[in-house]
Amino acid sequence: MADPTLLNVEKLSVRFPSDRGPVEVVHGISFAMGAEKLGLVGESGSGKSMTARALIGLVAKPGRVTADRLTLDGEDLTALTPRQWKHWRGSKIGLVLQDPKFALDPVMSIGRQVEEPLKLHTAAKKAERRERALAMLEAVGLPDPLRAYHSYPHQLSGGMGQRVMLATTLIAEPRLLIADEPTSALDRDLRDQVLDLMLKLVDERQMGLILISHDLDQVARFCDRALVMYRGDIVDRLPASELVNSQHPYTRTLWACRPSPETFGTMLPTLDRVRLEAGA
Ligand SMILES: Nc1ncnc2c1ncn2[C@@H]1O[C@H](COP(=O)(O)OP(=O)(O)OP(=O)(O)O)[C@@H](O)[C@H]1O
């Protein structure tokens, strides 16, 4: 049984001001997780990324995050100052995004970027940083780590860029990795390779993973549990392998709507929102 105390979230909300008063885009959601793989699914705009951003202290102003409780490894995240968040991001919680093009600095060598978290969060000296960066580049499956170390982002393919991003995120050994659509910019074969690698590293390091994905098949195959979000709420929670059997009307529609070779060229079902919200 995974340790349920890694991340504790109670009544987490995210609000934005608008002309018509505050708009709540995440509605007081609660969940807890241990060193396990948790999939976060839901249609576009359901609040997945805002939840992730709130967990890593990256909801930009004027957005406002509140929670009755938000702890990682027992530490209260709601009490962190911006300076403390800087340290927590990278050292305790890592974030992998969809497209390395936007996450990697185009004018900084890969080696420097992978070493950067060690510079910020550890006392490792130059030689040790270089050694650890090369080992990390090897661990993420780059065929020639030394060459990659001296390269720049534009010299890498999308799959290699995503591996480098994983290396920069994991090098400081965070306890929790949040991956927001980490493979959706890659083609299908590469998706599974990068995800396999990510999960292997997460398992080896006994970290927790929150995988945000539109791809329900991917979550069903790779995660332990799934949370299903609809309009800022968690409406369904289940073992990921049970996504196919969910009785919840929203999850059933999401599952039925997933693109697959079997449904290619056929009309997909649409969500009966009136019925769903009447029942909610
Ligand atoms: N800066 C902002 N101001 C106001 N509302 C915002 C802002 N950013 C996002 N939102 C709203 O918050 C809601 C949740 O957005 P979020 O990005 O979390 O959805 P998502 O489930 O991650 O969608 P996707 O899968 O498309 O990334 C959406 O309705 C979005 O319009």
Side-chain angles (χ1 to χ4, degrees):
M1 173 77 185
D3 164 18
T5 58
L6 176 64
L7 179 70
N8 258 295
V9 179
E10 280 174 28
K11 294 212 163 73
L12 173 73
S13 297
V14 181
R15 291 182 195 87
F16 285 93
S18 82
D19 296 344
R20 285 165 287 130
V23 176
E24 201 168 72
V25 298
V26 176
H27 300 304
I29 62 169
S30 301
F31 65 94
M33 68 178 287
E36 62 182 311
K37 297 178 262 309
L38 185 70
L40 199 54
V41 299
E43 68 191 320
S44 204
S46 55
K48 307 179 298 293
S49 297
M50 274 302 151
T51 300
R53 286 180 163 273
L55 296 179
I56 198 162
L58 283 177
V59 172
K61 282 199 165 69
R64 203 168 115 71
V65 178
T66 56
D68 281 2
R69 182 179 155 108
L70 189 55
T71 58
L72 182 73
D73 259 349
E75 292 268 359
D76 182 4
L77 302 185
T78 61
L80 296 183
T81 62
R83 198 185 152 90
Q84 286 169 320
W85 263 118
K86 267 197 180 154
H87 172 68
W88 273 70
R89 270 194 299 272
S91 68
K92 304 275 188 169
I93 313 179
L95 179 66
V96 176
L97 296 168
Q98 182 177 344
D99 202 332
K101 277 204 285 296
F102 301 111
L104 296 174
D105 185 336
V107 296
M108 201 193 266
S109 72
I110 297 303
R112 271 188 61 201
Q113 298 195 54
V114 176
E115 283 179 18
E116 190 76 2
L118 296 180
K119 236 174 161 172
L120 288 173
H121 306 302
T122 74
K125 296 274 185 309
K126 200 169 174 202
E128 186 193 340
R129 290 202 303 265
R130 180 186 155 92
E131 198 177 306
R132 283 176 64 179
L134 286 168
M136 196 69 230
L137 289 169
E138 187 167 12
V140 296
L142 288 171
D144 186 345
L146 190 58
R147 188 163 165 197
Y149 184 92
H150 292 293
S151 305
Y152 285 82
H154 73 273
Q155 296 171 297
L156 304 176
S157 67
M160 283 165 91
Q162 206 53 323
R163 286 166 195 264
V164 167
M165 205 150 79
L166 203 51
T168 59
T169 310
L170 294 186
I171 195 157
E173 303 182 353
R175 299 282 296 121
L176 175 66
L177 179 67
I178 301 178
D180 194 349
E181 301 281 0
T183 59
S184 50
L186 305 176
D187 64 42
R188 189 150 196 96
D189 288 347
L190 220 50
R191 264 183 223 175
D192 280 1
Q193 277 179 30
V194 170
L195 212 60
D196 269 335
L197 169 72
M198 187 186 298
L199 298 186
K200 179 176 148 263
L201 295 170
V202 161
D203 279 341
E204 280 172 8
R205 290 163 167 74
Q206 299 190 335
M207 299 163 56
L209 169 73
I210 298 181
L211 175 66
I212 297 177
S213 178
H214 276 106
D215 186 340
L216 267 70
D217 281 305
Q218 190 181 63
V219 168
R221 276 187 297 139
F222 289 103
C223 291
D224 303 311
R225 286 193 297 134
L227 302 178
V228 183
M229 289 194 75
Y230 176 68
R231 295 198 170 173
D233 278 316
I234 296 173
V235 294
D236 200 7
R237 334 171 163 243
L238 67 177
S241 59
E242 287 298 306
L243 277 165
V244 57
N245 296 320
S246 174
Q247 294 306 306
H248 194 285
Y250 180 61
T251 314
R252 283 171 70 111
T253 313
L254 278 184
W255 185 264
C257 288
R258 76 201 197 287
S260 74
E262 296 85 61
T263 55
F264 184 75
T266 65
M267 287 287 281
L268 294 173
T270 51
L271 183 65
D272 185 346
R273 290 181 196 275
V274 175
R275 233 185 87 201
L276 179 66
E277 280 165 31

